[in-house]
Amino acid sequence: MGITQRKEREKEEMRQRILDAALHLFREKGYEGVSIRNIAEAIEYSPGTIYLYYKDKSEIFYALQYEAAALKRDHLLSAALLENPWERLQAIGRQYIDFGLKHPDLYDLLFIIRSPMESIENQDCWILGQATHAFFVETVQACIDHRYFKSTDADTIAFTLWCHAHGLVSMFVRERIRMYPEERREQLARDSFEMIIKMAATL
Amino acid sequence: MGITQRKEREKEEMRQRILDAALHLFREKGYEGVSIRNIAEAIEYSPGTIYLYYKDKSEIFYALQYEAAALKRDHLLSAALLENPWERLQAIGRQYIDFGLKHPDLYDLLFIIRSPMESIENQDCWILGQATHAFFVETVQACIDHRYFKSTDADTIAFTLWCHAHGLVSMFVRERIRMYPEERREQLARDSFEMIIKMAATL
DNA sequence: AAATGTAATGAACAGTGTTTAATAACGCAA
DNA sequence: TTGCGTTATTAAACACTGTTCATTACATTT
């Protein structure tokens, strides 16, 4: 009875081959810049074949988005190990920015790109994102409980810190930091992160 | 010899008519969602006519981007009137966020959208943006000079504050705040702005 | 070896941005 | 008013897009 298993495996391999080619192309030309024919050509199949594995172009995007969300969750887990909530919070921030600068296309995929029919479609991805966000807010709450902050509004604190991190990464990802010379940007990001941490410590 | 003048005026009117229709459509369906044929239909002309006034689709986008930058500069001028640098800085921030939340599509146009050939193309727009950013950094420097901050790194302070504002607006514009209920979002934005101001005061 | 079921194809459809040859509209001198 | 020269407008064409579907090719089963 190994045949159906092999078929299943081959199908999965094909799906992954499409995903790999798509990610590679999306990184180069962006979502709109890549056609189904491009992807088909990259894997040396005809355009129609793609539709046997993904029902349309956006489903390929969503599959990639889910992979990105899972990778991001894995990154986060390293920070989750720290017992002390204040150190954990700093680690989360560092990890968030690290992920964004290291995988700008995946970050774009997750947090910026206005994908086709920006809705609840890819629910798996959405649930993943919600869970990591909840973990973030809980850590802020833990900091409050342990008297690291005087302020007690966990939501606002979390949101404010997130604004900074998301803004920082976004500007890198969408290249809106042309006013700062190339060679200073990375240092600027580090300095700004340290600054927001110091600022947060006064909350 | 008023004929050439009238021709000139009519040409300008046509350009503006195209821009108005394009902005209206872009707001509804986004840059990629709008076709030249859609714009042509909206102004009741044939598709080819558009190309007599703008050399391609991206030029229409750039023209709109410039209009948005000019509007944003005008918004900023109200803040520029304040003498006290610390109050001026707060006003700039408030104005920045106000503009973003009031004109999400224009903000998108200016700071987020990955436009066709994201380069130095629309230099007018870029110069405008550079000027307003310089004004922002100068205000931070003025705050330092007047001992509102202990820290003396104007660039990092400015960048950090900008990260927060840009991140906040971005999340609204690209709707990445679905984890917060609709009715709380505006208040959250206000609270977060106040929080970052209080944090900045400790720098 | 023949029959069956599935995977792959390539043509077709309706859309896209853009170019261009043909046409219509206009201003102006005779 | 007529005819000429510009200029504005258009419809058609080209090469592309996402997507569907009847047909073909092939691996598996009988």
Side-chain angles (χ1 to χ4, degrees):
Chain A
M1 243 309 160
I3 275 183
T4 57
Q5 291 174 20
R6 198 209 62 207
K7 282 280 173 77
E8 194 60 40
R9 198 181 58 234
E10 283 179 352
K11 192 154 186 124
E12 201 46 53
E13 282 172 4
M14 186 64 149
R15 287 174 62 89
Q16 195 57 50
R17 222 175 305 150
I18 292 173
L19 246 42
D20 291 343
L23 178 57
H24 183 248
L25 287 168
F26 285 161
R27 293 173 82 142
E28 274 185 350
K29 306 169 198 274
Y31 180 77
E32 302 290 349
V34 176
S35 71
I36 293 288
R37 285 170 180 83
N38 295 152
I39 300 173
E41 196 176 5
I43 62 170
E44 297 177 298
Y45 278 80
S46 79
T49 304
I50 306 286
Y51 289 88
L52 300 175
Y53 297 89
Y54 292 96
K55 89 169 204 290
D56 57 22
K57 194 183 172 188
S58 74
E59 261 222 354
I60 300 175
F61 177 84
Y62 290 140
L64 284 172
Q65 199 172 45
Y66 180 77
E67 279 196 344
L71 184 62
K72 185 160 187 326
R73 194 246 344 258
D74 295 346
H75 264 244
L76 190 65
L77 285 183
S78 62
L81 295 175
L82 294 171
E83 279 289 331
N84 181 289
W86 173 235
E87 284 180 16
R88 191 161 75 239
L89 187 62
Q90 293 181 54
I92 291 174
R94 220 182 309 271
Q95 167 276 327
Y96 189 96
I97 293 174
D98 264 13
F99 176 84
L101 301 192
K102 215 177 277 175
H103 309 290
D105 2 78
L106 296 184
Y107 190 90
D108 206 310
L109 227 58
L110 280 174
F111 290 113
I112 310 184
I113 279 188
R114 186 164 269 156
S115 47
M117 273 291 293
E118 180 103 59
S119 70
I120 323 101
E121 306 282 349
N122 44 347
Q123 222 179 0
D124 300 336
C125 184
W126 168 237
I127 288 167
L128 253 180
Q130 227 172 358
T132 61
H133 185 261
F135 174 66
F136 171 51
V137 177
E138 278 162 24
T139 299
V140 170
Q141 186 60 54
C143 286
I144 294 172
D145 296 342
H146 288 73
R147 308 275 182 258
Y148 283 97
F149 299 143
K150 270 168 296 191
S151 168
T152 58
D153 187 351
D155 272 344
T156 304
I157 295 176
F159 183 68
T160 302
L161 296 178
W162 188 29
C163 281
H164 175 266
H166 174 63
L168 191 154
V169 176
S170 292
M171 286 196 275
F172 274 82
V173 170
R174 286 291 165 107
E175 284 151 28
R176 298 297 146 125
I177 42 165
R178 288 197 292 266
M179 47 274 290
Y180 298 101
E182 175 75 46
E183 66 274 12
R184 277 196 54 211
R185 291 176 194 170
E186 211 179 320
Q187 187 59 46
L188 194 63
R190 270 195 294 272
D191 289 349
S192 184
F193 177 70
E194 275 178 38
M195 183 172 275
I196 198 84
I197 288 293
K198 281 206 187 102
M199 288 162 86
T202 71
L203 278 170
Chain B
M1 244 312 157
I3 275 182
T4 58
Q5 291 174 21
R6 197 208 65 207
K7 282 279 172 78
E8 194 61 38
R9 197 181 59 234
E10 282 178 354
K11 191 151 187 129
E12 200 47 53
E13 282 172 4
M14 187 64 150
R15 286 174 64 89
Q16 195 57 50
R17 222 176 304 151
I18 292 173
L19 246 42
D20 290 344
L23 178 59
H24 184 247
L25 288 168
F26 285 161
R27 295 172 80 141
E28 273 184 352
K29 306 169 198 277
Y31 180 77
E32 301 291 349
V34 176
S35 72
I36 293 288
R37 286 170 178 80
N38 294 153
I39 301 173
E41 197 176 7
I43 61 170
E44 297 178 298
Y45 278 80
S46 82
T49 304
I50 306 287
Y51 289 88
L52 301 175
Y53 296 90
Y54 293 95
K55 88 169 206 290
D56 57 22
K57 194 182 172 188
S58 74
E59 261 221 355
I60 299 175
F61 176 84
Y62 289 139
L64 284 172
Q65 200 173 43
Y66 179 77
E67 279 197 343
L71 183 63
K72 186 160 184 328
R73 194 246 344 258
D74 295 346
H75 264 244
L76 190 64
L77 286 182
S78 61
L81 296 176
L82 293 171
E83 280 289 331
N84 182 288
W86 172 236
E87 283 180 17
R88 192 161 74 239
L89 187 63
Q90 293 181 57
I92 291 174
R94 218 182 309 272
Q95 168 275 326
Y96 189 97
I97 293 173
D98 264 12
F99 176 84
L101 299 192
K102 215 178 278 177
H103 309 289
D105 3 77
L106 295 184
Y107 190 90
D108 207 309
L109 227 58
L110 279 175
F111 291 113
I112 310 182
I113 278 190
R114 185 165 270 156
S115 47
M117 274 290 292
E118 181 102 58
S119 68
I120 323 102
E121 305 283 351
N122 45 347
Q123 223 179 0
D124 300 336
C125 184
W126 169 238
I127 289 170
L128 253 180
Q130 228 173 357
T132 60
H133 184 262
F135 173 66
F136 171 50
V137 177
E138 279 162 24
T139 299
V140 171
Q141 186 61 56
C143 286
I144 295 173
D145 296 340
H146 287 73
R147 309 272 181 259
Y148 282 98
F149 299 144
K150 272 169 292 189
S151 168
T152 59
D153 188 352
D155 271 346
T156 304
I157 295 175
F159 183 69
T160 303
L161 295 178
W162 189 28
C163 281
H164 175 265
H166 174 63
L168 191 154
V169 177
S170 292
M171 285 196 276
F172 273 82
V173 170
R174 286 292 166 105
E175 284 152 28
R176 298 298 145 124
I177 42 165
R178 289 198 290 267
M179 46 273 288
Y180 298 100
E182 175 76 44
E183 65 274 14
R184 276 197 53 214
R185 291 177 194 170
E186 211 179 322
Q187 186 59 47
L188 195 63
R190 269 195 293 274
D191 290 348
S192 185
F193 177 70
E194 273 177 39
M195 183 172 277
I196 198 83
I197 289 291
K198 280 206 187 104
M199 287 162 87
T202 71
L203 277 170

